[in-house]
Amino acid sequence: MNGIIDFFRYLMEGFGLNDVLDILITAFVVYKILGFIRETRAQQLVKGLLILVVAYFISDFLDLDVINWLLRSAFTFGIFALVVVFQPELRRALEFMGRSKFGVGRIGQVDKDRAMHVVDEITNVADYFSESKTGALIIFEREITLEDISETGTYIDAEISEQLLGNIFYEGAPLHDGAVIIRGDRVYAAGCVLPLTENKNLNKSLGTRHRAGIGISEKSDALVLIVSEETGIISIAEDGKLRRFLDKRSVEKTLLNLYITDEQDAEKNRLGRIGKLFSRTKSGTSGKEEKDA
């Protein structure tokens, strides 16, 4: 008993603030890695690797020399195999880590009044597409530039309007089958070809348009607005996840959250307070001048 007490006392004596910080950072990294694995197909691969590790220890315990040698040899070259097998997941993880939360994205550079106009135009045309069952695929570029995707389509660089988007996605138009890329407050490109998602767990009723929208949201931080040509259902894809059966109000709320940041709201409120204060000061001065007169 005294030995156990002495052991823990020894541990506590050498335990400092840097050890606490080290444990917290390691726990956070492990938690994030497990969360990332759970959201991708890497979950099944990790389960397979765990089975091999367990088999290795069992073979060592039971003195199964041939099996133990084979597994040990497999682990020797396993690191190189993991890089190949997990290549899509590793690329996505590195892209996710590289997304700076401190930088200002292209959408954040749009002022509030202009953003409100853009949201109104896109919301109205999405509602029209839904009612008329016009298929549409609109990508909102954020911090990750989609230059390689835009090169597969036609460069436009025009102001966003209901008429322009309506003409692009009009059935029979040359660019209606591709995707539109929105950069800030402008239509940057149209008729773009997107990578399809490799997610095998999607609803079988989802067609190529939805799979393409989910695919680009997996490979970038873009938000994707999708309107089904068969049903008119409005969906939004983000981070590889799909939200369906959205109405006009839901689309408007999502786009407002996308375009109008907290910093813009704070700046707008600050300018409003300064304007009110200036108006009161001016009003009070005018009243005093009238009284003096």
Side-chain angles (χ1 to χ4, degrees):
M1 185 67 180
N2 291 333
I4 296 176
I5 295 175
D6 293 337
F7 174 74
F8 281 105
R9 185 180 298 164
Y10 173 77
L11 286 179
M12 294 304 296
E13 286 177 355
F15 198 77
L17 182 61
N18 59 330
D19 297 305
V20 175
L21 185 62
D22 189 19
I23 292 173
L24 290 176
I25 293 175
T26 303
F28 178 76
V29 171
V30 172
Y31 172 77
K32 286 295 184 180
I33 291 175
L34 291 176
F36 176 78
I37 289 174
R38 188 177 61 181
E39 293 177 357
T40 64
R41 66 187 183 93
Q43 181 178 5
Q44 306 300 325
L45 298 176
V46 170
K47 288 180 180 178
L49 289 175
L50 289 177
I51 292 174
L52 291 178
V53 171
V54 172
Y56 170 77
F57 284 108
I58 292 176
S59 65
D60 186 53
F61 178 75
L62 298 177
D63 293 328
L64 303 176
D65 296 332
V66 176
I67 296 177
N68 186 264
W69 177 81
L70 288 174
L71 291 173
R72 188 167 60 250
S73 302
F75 292 151
T76 303
F77 301 98
I79 300 298
F80 301 100
L82 285 177
V83 175
V84 177
V85 173
F86 285 99
Q87 189 271 338
E89 284 74 19
L90 290 173
R91 178 178 176 179
R92 184 181 173 195
L94 292 174
E95 288 177 348
F96 178 79
M97 291 170 61
R99 297 177 193 173
S100 171
K101 298 299 181 183
F102 303 100
V104 179
R106 290 174 171 77
I107 287 180
Q109 297 173 354
V110 181
D111 65 81
K112 189 171 182 178
D113 293 333
R114 179 62 183 164
M116 293 288 290
H117 172 73
V118 169
V119 170
D120 285 340
E121 293 289 315
I122 296 175
T123 302
N124 290 335
V125 78
D127 188 53
Y128 166 75
F129 287 157
S130 178
E131 292 180 356
S132 61
K133 294 185 178 180
T134 301
L137 185 56
I138 304 175
I139 306 169
F140 297 88
E141 186 184 72
R142 285 174 169 169
E143 294 179 11
I144 296 179
T145 304
L146 302 176
E147 200 65 38
D148 55 334
I149 300 297
S150 65
E151 290 174 355
T152 64
T154 301
Y155 177 74
I156 294 180
D157 192 26
E159 290 190 3
I160 297 174
S161 67
E162 293 184 51
Q163 293 76 16
L164 175 61
L165 292 173
N167 287 334
I168 290 175
F169 289 111
Y170 177 77
E171 187 176 1
L175 304 176
H176 85 281
D177 274 335
V180 161
I181 296 179
I182 302 292
R183 177 174 289 181
D185 59 345
R186 301 182 70 81
V187 176
Y188 183 68
C192 301
V193 180
L194 305 182
L196 300 180
T197 179
E198 297 180 2
N199 189 345
K200 306 298 182 182
N201 299 322
L202 293 177
N203 193 316
K204 300 299 182 182
S205 64
L206 296 177
T208 305
R209 183 175 284 110
H210 289 82
R211 295 179 184 275
I214 296 172
I216 192 62
S217 73
E218 290 174 341
K219 291 177 169 39
S220 71
D221 60 348
L223 183 141
V224 187
L225 178 66
I226 310 166
V227 181
S228 172
E229 186 175 358
E230 289 76 19
T231 62
I233 294 173
I234 302 176
S235 307
I236 286 181
E238 187 175 13
D239 292 329
K241 298 180 178 61
L242 186 68
R243 288 187 290 143
R244 303 190 69 197
F245 305 102
L246 302 179
D247 56 12
K248 182 178 180 180
R249 187 172 181 180
S250 300
V251 173
E252 182 181 34
K253 182 179 178 180
T254 301
L255 294 181
L256 285 174
N257 290 334
L258 178 70
Y259 272 93
I260 301 176
T261 62
D262 295 336
E263 289 81 2
Q264 287 177 313
D265 285 334
E267 181 66 14
K268 192 78 172 180
N269 293 333
R270 187 180 71 82
L271 294 175
R273 288 194 297 270
I274 293 175
K276 289 179 181 178
L277 181 61
F278 178 75
S279 299
R280 286 199 212 100
T281 304
K282 187 175 181 181
S283 176
T285 304
S286 301
K288 185 176 180 181
E289 289 175 353
E290 292 177 2
K291 185 176 180 181
D292 292 340

